Amino acid sequence: MANITTLREAVGSLIEDGHTIAMEGFTHLIPFAAGHEVVRQGKRDLTVIRMTPDLIYDQLIGMGCVRKMVFSWGGNPGVGSLHRFRDAVEQGWPHRLEIEERSHADMANAYAAGASNLPFAVLRGYVGSDLPRYNENIRTIECPFTGEQLTATPALRPDVAVVHAQQADRAGNVLMWGIVGVQKEAVLAAKAAIVTVEEIVDELDAAPNAVILPHWVVTAVCKVPHGATPAYAQGYYGRDNAFYRAWDTIARDRDMFQDWMRHHIVEAADFADFRNRLRLSTGGEKVHA
Amino acid sequence: MANITTLREAVGSLIEDGHTIAMEGFTHLIPFAAGHEVVRQGKRDLTVIRMTPDLIYDQLIGMGCVRKMVFSWGGNPGVGSLHRFRDAVEQGWPHRLEIEERSHADMANAYAAGASNLPFAVLRGYVGSDLPRYNENIRTIECPFTGEQLTATPALRPDVAVVHAQQADRAGNVLMWGIVGVQKEAVLAAKAAIVTVEEIVDELDAAPNAVILPHWVVTAVCKVPHGATPAYAQGYYGRDNAFYRAWDTIARDRDMFQDWMRHHIVEAADFADFRNRLRLSTGGEKVHA
Amino acid sequence: MPDDFTATEMMTVAAARALRDGVSCFVGIGLPSAAANLARATHAPNVALIYESGAIGTKPDVLPLSIGDGELSETADTVVSVPEIFRYWLQGGRIDVGFLGAAQIDKFANINTTIIGDYANPKVRLPGAGGAPEIAASAGEVLITLKHSKRAFVEKLDFVTSVGHLDGGDARARAMLPGRGPAAVITDLGILTPDPETKELTLTHRHPGATVEQAQDATGWALKVAHSVAETPAPTAEELTALRDLNARTAAAHRKSEAA
Amino acid sequence: MPDDFTATEMMTVAAARALRDGVSCFVGIGLPSAAANLARATHAPNVALIYESGAIGTKPDVLPLSIGDGELSETADTVVSVPEIFRYWLQGGRIDVGFLGAAQIDKFANINTTIIGDYANPKVRLPGAGGAPEIAASAGEVLITLKHSKRAFVEKLDFVTSVGHLDGGDARARAMLPGRGPAAVITDLGILTPDPETKELTLTHRHPGATVEQAQDATGWALKVAHSVAETPAPTAEELTALRDLNARTAAAHRKSEAA
């Protein structure tokens, strides 16, 4: 049932103001192109879920799209802080950001519970940690056999999951490989799923037991080459570590951030245009998608 | 830490009378060679866990090795009954067999809970079924968020898991592909694991995200070519459907069963010898392992 | 129209027709597997077949003898672990149709595959539950296929392994079961569907050559019969050819594997 | 013996030495990753490195900048999903050593990576928990490496993100925590290990050129000092070469990827 369409159409028709969305991809395959499209379409009042908010949510937060964020590690990997996230939490700019903070183990289990149509997940988590004091959604549950106290955490059930993958075929079956994170769980936990892919091929040359999302669990498939830039897509391109470092400067200052976002993303026609603008602004040449 | 050794040594040193063992493999990769070795060594008083007891446990039950069986589907796939299992349950021959009966979904979740070091699993299971009336280990648990009633089932934590795989490397890293069942979960849920393999190779040519058991979670690796016969090993040999059908006749009669087991398994030196005896008794030629 | 077909062929064809194209179908072994693969070979090329062994989107060219044959894995879109298939796919609500067989069935399409007689002291020990209790609960709807006989269609099950419509009416909804439950029971004599209100199985179709009386005689309770019982259209030439080809390929493949 | 090395090099070498060969090690990013990979390049070639991104048995030739670099996946024995890595491998009890960094640490090696100041009204919002709370709880033992300063080594944490020895003594055992907790804290000045009884961190080693007084001055509580404080052996030529080669390869790879 996957609809092979444009990213503009997929984001426009599936993501609504006020929705809960999960854009996943653990360092690898982060759906940046889709994040930009959400910014361009000016979505508002979103609850955004992501284990590692990374630059993709720093951009959404700074542009005022986000009401609440559910996350477990909010840094710029290998660089330092996410300044727009910090500014929202520390100074309430551009507005107050509600946060629900968990651990990686919790969120990974909570996505798996969502994919499994369970209302909660059970884990050995948080013993001795202060996190449960600040998150009433972290509770305890007793084992009915041993009496042990374990952690219960509510399943994650986003309205829309957004992930990026290497390939889809013409029916919309999706193949990803390498670090696959919680993408399958996020897609299966969600009511609808948008998948951007590097390329659409006639036939997926999948290994036995490969990570496949069949077309009938994907709502929309959109071809967006380099759609995970500045993250990486194994077999296609590496991580743009320089961009991650440059972001530290861009995002540190509110005005610089807004100018940069306006020029590179808001005023861009699409992700290919963003890549051209970025290449030009960093002294490179125009590229053709 | 995997010890590359003989199956005789592995079964002899790791499986003790009274142990709880799980020999898994879902139709594919059933560790028949290991089952024979347990019979040959005359292990007794075992609790045996397996989703689909198949011929491997029919043999153990008929030979009197088993005190209790935990299972979810006890038939001869595509053929009919497991006669030794039925004889034990219906007539108490060769002695009374204690059974703990669950569903596939329950056992799959319970292995996953064991692998996750949780005392129990939560599932949507058994609503309206009579099974919970006859298994006090099927209980209910309340979601601390929604109040929903769900099924709780105790984790499976065998003393020893036994599985068969296609390949290991010289360090004892194990690779399997195709239908992988609950083998990874059984191994990770167990205190010790024996893995028989078709071959030991210099280097595993594994796909990204392949199903691998690293050597440090495997206790013993034993090379046993055709070790899943009469089940199949993808890439190596097909399922011996004729044997599955012949078993219906062999196992239906107590004497015929005992004679067959004595001649083909108990008196065989090892699995290669079993295969020769089987080939000879079915009119074929002697094979060399 | 071919006039020469067996009751089993008619049953398989009727069961296959009950599967709509484009759905995801969790397939039990035996008759359900034959029907599901016949559907894929005829009117439902885009059905996604899922087996409890973990094969997703499998397209076997021959019928598997077991639920985990190599053919299922080799022709699948992918194969996942058994915990995953039950957690993410079945319980996760991704299965439109569950296709089951049974040893015993009652008038509300509850089924028994566990035991004949007393549980502690059984007359016949059947294989047991397998995946059925959760397929019956979680699939969007359930199709059941089994041969019609008084031994199978009983007033009271010796053991309820997997739920149909419980004691009828809105019992499933009250029990918070995720799926809608059995939509049809296809036998070698006809088709039974639950009454929209009471959920009691009602004979709506009789197969060519079979009579309402035969169906009633082969049922262990007073079988409800629809106001007007339609005759199931006989297998078309295309259906019969597809089914016989499938069976012939299956037999040849199994002979070959046994000779190997 | 090379006499020219930085305090960071000494810290990395000392942290690497703390990792025994043959263990399975769940590696945090940053200093722990450098130390673990240095260990693998020197005395611990058979250490199995696991990253929370799902890479198992990874053998990166350069240091990953992020926890999920392609280098980790390409050189791994296999890569599993993130739920699996936390469920089957960490919580499953398959990890011998967890290797963590921290922003703040207290005398019982509890750590803070969440917030400086008040949670609702923070002075500095740090990245947060990541995998640390469950690594700290479930790994067989924990190694922690961070630079020594009064800002980091505090009397009272602003927030306990991940447990060390709680309030000391047998508190971990009473809390039913699966792992034994922090076994050593390796800083740029020396090595602290928990007192066997009280579990209070105790300075047992000072690095060459560092003094006990420096360590005490850089600690926000009255630092307990072992009866006899050993001098950490300086990095060997082999260790320094391996570390510098690793850093040089890493810098070259990152330059190359940026130029690409």
Side-chain angles (χ1 to χ4, degrees):
Chain A
M1 351 258 165
N3 183 18
I4 298 187
T5 183
T6 63
L7 183 55
R8 182 179 303 160
E9 161 64 21
V11 167
S13 63
L14 294 171
I15 299 180
E16 297 171 17
D17 289 353
H19 260 174
T20 296
I21 63 172
M23 307 182 113
E24 280 293 350
F26 204 90
T27 306
H28 184 213
L29 297 175
I30 301 177
F32 271 99
H36 290 192
E37 190 59 34
V38 170
V39 167
R40 255 193 306 276
Q41 297 194 14
K43 303 290 181 188
R44 283 291 176 274
D45 208 26
L46 299 173
T47 294
V48 295
I49 308 174
R50 209 179 127 75
M51 293 179 65
T52 58
D54 204 276
L55 277 46
I56 187 173
Y57 281 0
D58 214 33
Q59 294 174 350
L60 290 181
I61 292 166
M63 294 304 284
C65 306
V66 180
R67 182 180 68 78
K68 178 181 177 181
M69 182 165 81
V70 182
F71 75 106
S72 42
W73 192 85
N76 178 342
V79 179
S81 293
L82 295 176
H83 296 291
R84 294 297 97 224
F85 161 57
R86 281 187 58 181
D87 203 15
V89 172
E90 296 170 11
Q91 311 293 334
W93 190 93
H95 53 69
R96 197 180 145 271
L97 175 71
E98 194 182 334
I99 59 172
E100 180 177 332
E101 193 166 359
R102 303 184 172 188
S103 70
H104 277 356
D106 175 334
M107 289 191 71
N109 274 286
Y111 272 123
S116 305
N117 188 27
L118 291 174
F120 68 104
V122 177
L123 70 152
R124 295 188 184 276
Y126 296 116
V127 177
S129 171
D130 283 341
L131 278 161
R133 294 192 195 181
Y134 298 94
N135 184 344
E136 62 166 15
N137 273 338
I138 303 169
R139 302 189 184 170
T140 58
I141 193 163
E142 187 179 292
C143 172
F145 303 97
T146 64
E148 280 173 274
Q149 298 290 319
L150 295 134
T151 298
T153 178
L156 292 168
R157 302 302 304 259
D159 292 305
V160 185
V162 184
V163 303
H164 186 74
Q166 281 102 336
Q167 297 179 345
D169 66 18
R170 296 188 193 286
N173 296 298
V174 171
L175 170 65
M176 63 181 79
W177 66 86
I179 288 172
V180 293
V182 289
Q183 282 99 302
K184 183 190 272 191
E185 287 76 12
V187 164
L188 294 178
K191 299 187 187 79
I194 299 171
V195 184
T196 55
V197 294
E198 288 299 321
E199 56 176 337
I200 295 181
V201 298
D202 288 332
E203 191 140 2
L204 299 174
D205 183 25
N209 313 109
V211 180
I212 297 264
L213 302 170
H215 65 88
W216 42 279
V217 302
V218 175
T219 319
V221 169
C222 316
K223 179 180 165 183
V224 187
H226 273 262
T229 299
Y232 73 105
Q234 190 138 2
Y236 289 82
Y237 46 89
R239 190 171 188 266
D240 187 349
N241 290 323
F243 187 87
Y244 273 86
R245 279 197 279 264
W247 185 254
D248 191 68
T249 306
I250 295 165
R252 200 178 280 268
D253 180 84
R254 291 175 187 172
D255 291 339
M256 190 182 292
F257 165 77
Q258 288 182 309
D259 286 348
W260 191 94
M261 290 295 291
R262 188 178 314 115
H263 178 68
H264 292 88
I265 297 181
V266 177
E267 292 174 357
D270 57 19
F271 198 68
D273 189 23
F274 157 75
R275 289 180 57 226
N276 278 326
R277 287 163 181 254
L278 183 63
R279 192 67 69 109
L280 288 169
S281 75
T282 55
E285 282 171 43
K286 185 165 174 163
V287 294
H288 299 275
Chain B
M1 353 262 162
N3 183 17
I4 299 185
T5 183
T6 64
L7 183 54
R8 182 180 304 159
E9 161 64 20
V11 168
S13 64
L14 294 171
I15 299 180
E16 296 172 18
D17 288 354
H19 260 175
T20 296
I21 64 172
M23 307 182 112
E24 281 293 350
F26 204 91
T27 308
H28 183 213
L29 298 175
I30 302 177
F32 271 100
H36 291 191
E37 189 58 35
V38 170
V39 167
R40 256 193 305 275
Q41 297 193 16
K43 303 292 181 187
R44 283 293 176 274
D45 208 26
L46 300 173
T47 294
V48 296
I49 308 174
R50 212 181 123 75
M51 294 179 64
T52 58
D54 203 275
L55 277 46
I56 186 172
Y57 281 0
D58 213 34
Q59 294 175 349
L60 291 180
I61 292 166
M63 294 303 285
C65 304
V66 180
R67 183 181 66 77
K68 176 181 178 182
M69 182 164 80
V70 182
F71 75 107
S72 41
W73 192 85
N76 179 342
V79 178
S81 292
L82 294 176
H83 297 290
R84 293 298 97 225
F85 161 57
R86 282 187 56 179
D87 203 16
V89 172
E90 296 169 11
Q91 312 293 336
W93 190 94
H95 53 69
R96 196 181 146 273
L97 176 69
E98 192 182 337
I99 60 171
E100 179 177 332
E101 193 166 358
R102 303 185 175 188
S103 70
H104 277 355
D106 175 336
M107 288 191 70
N109 273 287
Y111 273 123
S116 305
N117 189 27
L118 290 175
F120 69 105
V122 177
L123 69 153
R124 296 186 183 278
Y126 296 116
V127 176
S129 170
D130 283 341
L131 278 161
R133 294 192 196 180
Y134 298 95
N135 184 344
E136 61 165 16
N137 272 338
I138 302 170
R139 302 189 184 171
T140 58
I141 193 163
E142 186 179 293
C143 172
F145 303 97
T146 64
E148 280 173 273
Q149 298 289 320
L150 296 134
T151 298
T153 178
L156 291 167
R157 302 303 303 259
D159 292 307
V160 184
V162 184
V163 302
H164 186 74
Q166 280 103 335
Q167 298 179 344
D169 66 18
R170 297 188 192 285
N173 296 298
V174 171
L175 170 65
M176 62 181 80
W177 66 85
I179 288 172
V180 294
V182 290
Q183 283 98 302
K184 183 190 271 190
E185 286 76 13
V187 164
L188 294 178
K191 298 188 188 80
I194 299 171
V195 184
T196 56
V197 294
E198 288 298 321
E199 57 177 336
I200 294 180
V201 298
D202 288 333
E203 190 141 1
L204 299 174
D205 184 24
N209 312 110
V211 180
I212 297 265
L213 301 170
H215 64 88
W216 43 278
V217 301
V218 174
T219 319
V221 169
C222 316
K223 179 180 166 183
V224 187
H226 273 261
T229 299
Y232 74 105
Q234 190 138 4
Y236 290 82
Y237 46 90
R239 190 170 187 265
D240 188 349
N241 290 323
F243 186 88
Y244 272 86
R245 280 197 278 263
W247 186 254
D248 190 68
T249 306
I250 295 166
R252 200 178 281 269
D253 181 86
R254 292 176 185 171
D255 290 340
M256 188 182 294
F257 165 77
Q258 289 183 309
D259 286 349
W260 191 93
M261 289 295 290
R262 189 178 314 113
H263 178 68
H264 291 88
I265 296 181
V266 178
E267 292 175 357
D270 55 20
F271 198 69
D273 189 23
F274 156 75
R275 289 182 57 225
N276 278 325
R277 286 163 180 254
L278 183 64
R279 191 66 69 108
L280 288 168
S281 75
T282 55
E285 282 173 40
K286 182 165 173 164
V287 294
H288 299 276
Chain C
M1 192 180 78
D3 58 354
D4 197 29
F5 53 87
T6 68
T8 300
E9 285 174 336
M10 181 70 252
M11 170 165 66
T12 308
V13 167
R17 288 174 187 159
L19 198 59
R20 296 183 308 282
D21 195 18
V23 301
S24 57
C25 176
F26 205 102
V27 191
I29 208 67
L31 282 174
S33 184
N37 280 291
L38 176 60
R40 201 173 55 75
T42 53
H43 70 283
N46 300 308
V47 70
L49 302 187
I50 292 98
Y51 283 75
E52 64 195 20
S53 54
I56 295 179
T58 184
K59 300 159 201 77
D61 197 44
V62 303
L63 295 175
L65 191 68
S66 81
I67 209 98
D69 273 21
E71 175 82 6
L72 294 178
S73 146
E74 281 160 14
T75 63
D77 288 334
T78 190
V79 181
V80 302
S81 74
V82 166
E84 180 177 325
I85 207 82
F86 281 102
R87 290 166 56 88
Y88 292 179
W89 300 87
L90 178 60
Q91 185 176 279
R94 297 290 174 175
I95 305 299
D96 298 316
V97 180
F99 215 145
L100 296 174
Q104 280 187 338
I105 190 166
D106 70 14
K107 69 173 62 141
F108 294 115
N110 303 294
I111 63 181
N112 173 19
T113 54
T114 301
I115 216 106
I116 305 293
D118 177 57
Y119 190 80
N121 197 9
K123 213 170 109 197
V124 182
R125 172 66 234 197
L126 300 167
E134 287 75 23
I135 297 172
S138 289
E141 65 176 39
V142 176
L143 299 173
I144 300 169
T145 179
L146 80 167
K147 295 202 176 181
H148 223 132
S149 80
K150 270 207 159 77
R151 265 180 53 196
F153 285 67
V154 298
E155 177 73 36
K156 186 167 165 37
L157 298 179
D158 289 356
F159 190 99
V160 180
T161 310
S162 308
V163 282
H165 293 285
L166 295 152
D167 56 354
D170 61 351
R172 271 188 81 96
R174 277 186 282 110
M176 310 285 278
L177 284 159
R180 296 183 302 281
V185 178
I186 299 103
T187 82
D188 51 341
L189 297 178
I191 302 175
L192 296 75
T193 55
D195 177 273
E197 284 296 314
T198 66
K199 304 295 180 190
E200 183 174 338
L201 288 177
T202 307
L203 185 74
T204 55
H205 290 74
R206 54 167 192 77
H207 296 329
T211 64
V212 170
E213 291 66 34
Q214 274 180 299
Q216 287 174 317
D217 286 349
T219 303
W221 67 87
L223 177 61
K224 224 186 136 188
V225 177
H227 202 65
S228 127
V229 174
E231 181 173 285
T232 316
T236 65
E238 189 212 350
E239 286 168 335
L240 266 190
T241 305
L243 175 57
R244 287 169 184 175
D245 285 356
L246 186 60
N247 285 331
R249 281 198 304 276
T250 301
H254 289 172
R255 269 197 310 276
K256 189 174 152 221
S257 86
E258 283 161 23
Chain D
M1 193 180 78
D3 57 354
D4 197 28
F5 52 87
T6 68
T8 301
E9 285 174 335
M10 181 70 251
M11 172 166 64
T12 309
V13 166
R17 287 175 187 159
L19 198 60
R20 295 182 309 282
D21 196 18
V23 300
S24 57
C25 175
F26 206 102
V27 190
I29 207 66
L31 283 172
S33 183
N37 281 291
L38 177 60
R40 200 173 55 77
T42 54
H43 70 282
N46 301 309
V47 71
L49 302 188
I50 292 98
Y51 284 74
E52 63 194 19
S53 54
I56 295 180
T58 184
K59 300 160 202 74
D61 196 44
V62 303
L63 295 175
L65 190 69
S66 81
I67 209 100
D69 273 21
E71 175 82 6
L72 294 177
S73 148
E74 281 160 15
T75 63
D77 288 335
T78 190
V79 181
V80 300
S81 74
V82 166
E84 179 177 326
I85 207 80
F86 280 101
R87 290 165 58 87
Y88 292 179
W89 298 87
L90 178 60
Q91 185 176 278
R94 297 291 173 174
I95 305 298
D96 298 317
V97 180
F99 215 145
L100 296 173
Q104 281 188 334
I105 189 166
D106 71 14
K107 70 173 63 145
F108 294 114
N110 303 295
I111 63 181
N112 173 20
T113 54
T114 301
I115 216 104
I116 305 295
D118 178 57
Y119 190 79
N121 197 9
K123 212 170 111 197
V124 182
R125 174 66 234 196
L126 300 167
E134 287 76 23
I135 298 171
S138 289
E141 65 177 38
V142 176
L143 300 172
I144 300 169
T145 178
L146 78 168
K147 294 202 177 182
H148 223 132
S149 80
K150 269 206 158 79
R151 267 179 52 193
F153 285 68
V154 297
E155 177 73 36
K156 185 167 167 36
L157 299 178
D158 289 355
F159 191 99
V160 180
T161 311
S162 308
V163 281
H165 294 285
L166 295 154
D167 57 353
D170 61 351
R172 273 188 79 98
R174 280 186 282 111
M176 311 283 278
L177 284 159
R180 296 183 302 282
V185 177
I186 300 105
T187 80
D188 52 341
L189 297 178
I191 302 174
L192 295 75
T193 55
D195 177 272
E197 284 296 314
T198 67
K199 304 294 182 190
E200 182 175 338
L201 287 177
T202 307
L203 185 74
T204 57
H205 291 74
R206 57 168 190 79
H207 297 329
T211 64
V212 170
E213 291 67 33
Q214 274 179 299
Q216 287 174 314
D217 287 348
T219 302
W221 69 85
L223 177 63
K224 221 182 138 189
V225 176
H227 201 67
S228 129
V229 173
E231 181 173 288
T232 316
T236 65
E238 189 211 351
E239 286 168 333
L240 266 191
T241 304
L243 175 57
R244 288 170 183 175
D245 285 356
L246 186 59
N247 285 330
R249 281 198 305 276
T250 301
H254 290 172
R255 267 197 311 277
K256 190 173 152 223
S257 84
E258 284 161 23

